[in-house]
Structures are given as C-alpha cells and as structure tokens.
Amino acid sequence: MNNLKTMESELQDLNSSSKPPPPPVPDDLPLLKPITTVFASNTIDLENKFSPYVRRDVYGTMGRGELPTKEKVLLGVALVTLVPVRVVLAMTLLVLYYLICRVCTVFSVPNREDEQEDYAHVVGWRRVVIVQCGKMLSRIVLFVLGFYWIRQSSFCAHQNPTSSSNEKNKSQPAQTGRPGVIISNHVSYIDILYHMSNSFPSFVAKRSVGKIPLVGLISKCLGCIYVQRESKTSDFKGVSAVVTERIREAHRNASAPIMMLFPEGTTTNGEYLLPFKSGGFLASAPVLPVILNYHYQRFSPAWDSISGVRHVIFLLCQFVNYMEVTELPTYYPSQQEKDNPKLYANNVRKLMATEGNMLLSDIGLAEKRIYHSALNGLFSQC
C-alpha cells in the first residue's frame, strides 16, 4: 500500500510539472460561448460570400427570422381569411385549365421524339384555345396571388454592350426576324406564371414535372423540354440539341412556340445576375431579353434561401405583391457572337445587368446548395 501511494504521488508531481495549472475562470463568465453569437457572426460571413441568395426582407434568413408583433398579427389574419380563398381559387383555375388541355388533346397523340413527350405540335383551333386560355388563366392566377398590377415597360437600349460589337453592327444591314428564345433572369417560380400569361412559351423543366398530376399535362401542352438535372448522362447532349433545334424552329416559323430560358440555372434574390449557360445561344438566333423585378415592403417573392412550403404560405399571406417587367429590344448577334456562344451569352448578360441595375456575380447553383446546407447547419444549433 505504501508503494502504491508513493507511485500516485509521483504521477501527480509529473503531471503538475508538465502542464501549468489553468488560469482561474471568473464566476460571472458563461462556461460556453453563446450559440446566438456564433450564429450571428457565421451568418454575416455567409451573407458576404453568398450575397445573391441572401434574403433582406422582414422575414430574414430562410424566412425564419424573429417577426415584429405587427407582422405576426397580419400573418394570423391572412392565414384565417386570405389564404383559404386564394388556395381554393388557384386550385379551381388549375383544374379548369387541366380540363381544357385534356379536351384539346383527347384525340391527339403526343410527340415522343428525342425522348420527349409534348403536345406543342397541336395546331388549329385546339392550339388557339390552349394558348389563349393559358394566357388568360395564368394572369388570373397572378391576380389571385396578389399581383393586381404588373408594370410593363420597354425601351431602346444599345444593341450590344461592347463598343466593338456596336461598330460591327453599324457596318451591317439592319437585321430583322422573330427572336427564337426569351432570355430572362430568374427570381421566383412566379416568373413562369408571368411568362405564360404574356407569351406562353416552352420551358426547360425537370423530368419529374411531366409526371405531376394536373401540372404534367399542362407542361406538355406548353411543349416543355424535360431534363434530368441530377444526372448528366448521355441524354444531356440530346437535350441541348433539342433546345437548339426548337430555338431555330421558333426563329424560322412564327407559328412554332417560342422557347423561354433562365440561363442562370437557378433563382436569386433579384439583385444579382449569375453567369449564363451558353445552351440557349448555340442556335445563333436572336434573343429577347426580359428583366423581372419584384418590389416588396414585407415579404420578398424571391425564392432564394427559403423552403418551398414556407415561401408559398408567406406569399399567400401577402395582401399585395408587386412585379415590374422590362422588355429589352431583340438582340441580334454579330458574326463574332455567332461563332462564340459564350461571348454571345456574356454580352447579353452584361446588357441585362446594366439595364436592370443588377450586379454581376460569379457563383452558381453549386454555391447555392453549399449556402443552404450551411444555413441549415447553423439553424440546427439554435
């Protein structure tokens, strides 16, 4: 026993000599750094790095900020009175348009070329009914959602943003012809409803959209091109070829549905313009740039860093929503831009950023996913 006590005392002396004693901790300091402090500092760093996806409205980051009492009261009133009415009306209009599309396609065989399926080839009175009813009902849905007035404007802008392109265009004869594709910035899923109400174009959509009840048939009547976003297999080139051919056909044939592309590939908060993918510019056809801007006082309609369900609920609770649309002149590419689709895409992007007072950003969808993951991790600590 005496030997054991001697060994313990020696070990204690060894540990005390190798490690200095820790400084005394004042009793008034917390044992751990407050999580709210860590969350605030990390959020600021994330917002600086991923600024195109930052929410700046009353509802805060991910729509999960602390709301003032007045806003809570307005939300409560809207949830009880406004939301049920809007949901019923919107669903009624959706079912109505589905039935119209069903009647107009009941004796038609869908086009199944290039692993796609659509009814864009339907002509005659059936196509007129599909398009005109689609435009009208889309505008009514926007009205139901609180977009009572949509300010639309168009003005003359420089044909190209670079001086070299301007000089080249001056030496060329005036170009005419229908644009093959509408190029728009992407802020919200509301963008699709607006473009349906205005020009009823064909979109590029995820393959799963074609299988959604009601919406699937409507997307096929629009002539949507379906892609599998999560896997870039051999069909990725095929989809790009289909898009290019559709754009060329729309440019040549006035009766063909015009294409509509969001070349950023994802949504932003509307203050920035992300890099453009060049797929919509491979056809070397003229494009129609359209800029969408959502003004707000309480809730931003931008679908940036907020979940879909939360966004829909808050949007339905908003008594009035605002949208401003600026349509730029048709952009005819120079020969240099036709030979270089990336240059063509970049020049159109610069023009839209200038005329829409938007900032250019170099990040994209991959960074948006990183931002969302980081935010989810921070909120899980609270």
Side-chain angles (χ1 to χ4, degrees):
M1 290 292 293
N2 292 331
N3 292 337
L4 182 59
K5 291 181 179 180
T6 303
M7 291 178 62
E8 289 179 353
S9 61
E10 290 177 352
L11 287 173
Q12 290 175 358
D13 293 339
L14 181 62
N15 290 333
S16 61
S17 61
S18 60
K19 288 185 178 180
V25 180
D27 295 336
D28 58 343
L29 291 182
L31 294 178
L32 296 176
K33 192 174 184 180
I35 291 177
T36 53
T37 304
V38 177
F39 178 78
S41 60
N42 288 346
T43 302
I44 294 174
D45 293 338
L46 288 172
E47 289 181 353
N48 291 333
K49 187 174 182 180
F50 302 102
S51 50
Y53 311 121
V54 176
R55 294 193 70 78
R56 307 186 192 280
D57 60 6
V58 176
Y59 291 78
T61 306
M62 298 188 77
R64 297 169 67 174
E66 183 63 30
L67 297 178
T69 304
K70 179 182 177 181
E71 189 64 29
K72 291 179 180 179
V73 172
L74 291 174
L75 272 178
V77 172
L79 281 170
V80 176
T81 59
L82 192 60
V83 173
V85 174
R86 284 180 168 177
V87 169
V88 171
L89 289 176
M91 289 303 300
T92 301
L93 292 169
L94 176 63
V95 172
L96 174 61
Y97 188 53
Y98 168 80
L99 294 176
I100 292 173
C101 291
R102 177 58 67 191
V103 170
C104 291
T105 59
V106 66
F107 297 115
S108 300
V109 178
N111 173 35
R112 290 191 173 92
E113 295 181 4
D114 302 309
E115 299 184 1
Q116 301 291 326
E117 183 175 342
D118 63 74
Y119 291 97
H121 65 287
V122 173
V123 295
W125 67 268
R126 292 179 296 176
R127 185 64 186 172
V128 173
V129 172
I130 289 174
V131 172
Q132 295 305 319
C133 289
K135 287 183 175 182
M136 178 183 65
L137 292 177
S138 297
R139 183 62 189 92
I140 295 176
V141 171
L142 285 171
F143 186 90
V144 169
L145 295 179
F147 294 91
Y148 307 121
W149 305 276
I150 297 179
R151 181 181 175 185
Q152 296 175 296
S153 61
S154 58
F155 58 92
C156 293
H158 295 92
Q159 184 68 22
N160 287 334
T162 58
S163 59
S164 59
S165 298
N166 283 328
E167 293 174 0
K168 184 176 293 187
N169 282 338
K170 288 179 181 179
S171 63
Q172 293 177 349
Q175 302 182 74
T176 58
R178 182 196 190 204
V181 59
I182 299 171
I183 297 296
S184 174
N185 63 316
H186 202 8
V187 183
S188 175
Y189 49 81
I190 301 298
D191 304 348
I192 297 174
L193 277 174
Y194 167 75
H195 287 295
M196 284 181 63
S197 69
N198 187 61
S199 53
F200 203 79
S202 297
F203 295 90
V204 174
K206 291 189 293 186
R207 196 175 298 275
S208 58
V209 172
K211 300 177 182 179
I212 300 176
L214 304 180
V215 176
L217 177 62
I218 295 174
S219 68
K220 293 174 184 178
C221 289
L222 279 163
C224 287
I225 299 174
Y226 302 111
V227 299
Q228 193 69 32
R229 169 175 268 182
E230 300 302 328
S231 61
K232 294 186 177 181
T233 55
S234 58
D235 76 328
F236 189 74
K237 274 190 174 181
V239 169
S240 179
V242 172
V243 171
T244 301
E245 181 54 38
R246 289 277 189 92
I247 293 174
R248 288 173 177 167
E249 182 183 2
H251 176 50
R252 295 190 303 261
N253 183 5
S255 62
I258 192 170
M259 281 296 304
M260 164 73 234
L261 295 177
F262 299 111
E264 295 172 282
T266 189
T267 53
T268 68
N269 57 16
E271 300 174 10
Y272 291 80
L273 204 58
L274 306 182
F276 280 7
K277 293 176 172 58
S278 57
F281 303 87
L282 295 174
S284 301
V287 303
L288 179 64
V290 176
I291 302 169
L292 304 180
N293 188 12
Y294 295 86
H295 303 288
Y296 62 90
Q297 296 177 349
R298 296 164 48 215
F299 176 74
S300 169
W303 192 23
D304 34 41
S305 61
I306 183 172
S307 68
V309 174
R310 187 180 294 267
H311 188 280
V312 171
I313 293 174
F314 288 159
L315 184 72
L316 292 173
C317 289
Q318 185 102 301
F319 291 92
V320 182
N321 289 296
Y322 303 93
M323 179 191 298
E324 182 179 357
V325 182
T326 303
E327 184 176 302
L328 301 181
T330 300
Y331 189 109
Y332 295 93
S334 64
Q335 187 58 49
Q336 184 181 8
E337 290 169 327
K338 291 180 180 179
D339 297 336
N340 188 346
K342 288 186 177 181
L343 175 65
Y344 187 8
N346 192 43
N347 285 346
V348 173
R349 177 178 176 241
K350 288 180 180 178
L351 174 64
M352 292 177 64
T354 300
E355 302 297 348
N357 295 319
M358 292 179 285
L359 300 173
L360 296 176
S361 175
D362 293 331
I363 63 177
L365 178 60
E367 287 80 6
K368 184 177 185 179
R369 288 172 173 166
I370 294 173
Y371 179 55
H372 285 188
S373 298
L375 289 179
N376 285 322
L378 288 177
F379 270 104
S380 65
Q381 300 175 22
C382 297

